[in-house]
Amino acid sequence: MPLGPQPDALAAHGQFAVNALDAGSLLTAFGALGVAVVLFAETGLLVGFFLPGDSLLFTAGLLCVPGGTGVHLSLWQVLLAAVGGALSGAQVGYWIGRRGGRVILARSRSRPLHEGAERAEALLARYGHAKAIVLARFVPVVRTVLNPLAGALDVPAGVFLRWQVVGGLVWSVGLVLAGYALGSSLPHVDRYLLPLVALIVLVSLLPLAREVLRSRRARRDRGVAEGEVP
């Protein structure tokens, strides 16, 4: 069975009109192979922080349900692609961090990337290596930056490998199966793909918004405390 969608499906959806920010477009064009490539880039390469990992996994799970009107993917191929891309990407990101992650971040002018690095460092300091590595998988941008940051901060290789595998499996397999379960329980759920993807994106941004609000509150409290000192 081929990893990508069938040629007639590509023709029907516009084979060459691929939007890298749209999960449906990526899956229509590249199928399960697209899942592996996108997750590898998002979790292993700093330039992939803008890619739609959460919505891609959930949408891929939906498209694995038989009987849909659009592209149909194989569940086992999507799961293998998701796990392979997520785990290998994280390891490459860690290796990049060991080789010079701080320098790469310093040269970048991307504000979201630098903000993600600050939040990733705060996660490591607050929760410790194991919990931070797992939690980062569920926070957009942070999951891109934490892997090289862990390498740059000399997180032990064995500790990183162990917990990135745990987090990667829970994140990738969990979202794919969640999409598949929803698609299996609701008939013709693919008709509501766009609002469902929008909801997944919104939910995935909630931890990020919470961390931003917490950070602003902490800075405000520090400012008030400093103002009270004569």
Side-chain angles (χ1 to χ4, degrees):
M1 182 179 294
L3 285 177
Q6 298 300 313
D8 56 341
L10 287 174
H13 289 78
Q15 182 174 4
F16 299 105
V18 180
N19 181 357
L21 300 179
D22 177 24
S25 176
L26 286 166
L27 292 168
T28 298
F30 303 113
L33 181 61
V35 175
V37 172
V38 168
L39 294 192
F40 179 87
E42 189 192 18
T43 59
L45 308 177
L46 289 172
V47 294
F49 68 90
F50 62 90
L51 292 169
D54 294 316
S55 58
L56 184 74
L57 290 167
F58 189 83
T59 305
L62 285 175
L63 295 181
C64 291
V65 178
T69 57
V71 175
H72 175 67
L73 302 177
S74 165
L75 180 61
W76 72 266
Q77 288 182 355
V78 168
L79 288 172
L80 285 177
V83 170
L87 300 191
S88 62
Q91 282 302 129
V92 169
Y94 178 81
W95 179 83
I96 290 174
R98 278 288 181 97
R99 296 288 181 176
R102 289 287 192 181
V103 175
I104 296 173
L105 280 172
R107 291 178 179 175
S108 173
R109 297 182 180 180
S110 170
R111 183 177 177 182
L113 204 57
H114 284 284
E115 291 177 348
E118 292 175 3
R119 286 189 290 273
E121 199 159 3
L123 273 178
L124 285 167
R126 181 177 180 182
Y127 297 111
H129 296 161
K131 193 172 181 180
I133 291 168
V134 173
L135 289 176
R137 288 286 190 175
F138 298 89
V139 185
V141 184
V142 175
R143 65 172 160 261
T144 302
V145 183
L146 186 133
N147 300 319
L149 192 63
L153 294 176
D154 294 322
V155 173
V159 172
F160 179 81
L161 175 61
R162 183 182 311 119
W163 292 107
Q164 77 94 349
V165 168
V166 172
L169 287 174
V170 173
W171 175 62
S172 60
V173 174
L175 281 176
V176 170
L177 293 182
Y180 184 81
L182 180 63
S184 299
S185 60
L186 296 178
H188 308 296
V189 71
D190 56 322
R191 296 177 182 177
Y192 310 100
L193 190 58
L194 287 179
L196 282 172
V197 169
L199 179 62
I200 291 299
V201 171
L202 180 62
V203 170
S204 69
L205 290 175
L206 289 178
L208 187 61
R210 185 178 62 182
E211 289 298 326
V212 170
L213 291 175
R214 183 178 295 166
S215 176
R216 289 181 178 177
R217 191 180 302 117
R219 286 198 297 266
R220 183 190 62 195
D221 292 343
R222 285 197 300 268
V224 171
E226 290 173 358
E228 294 173 351
V229 177

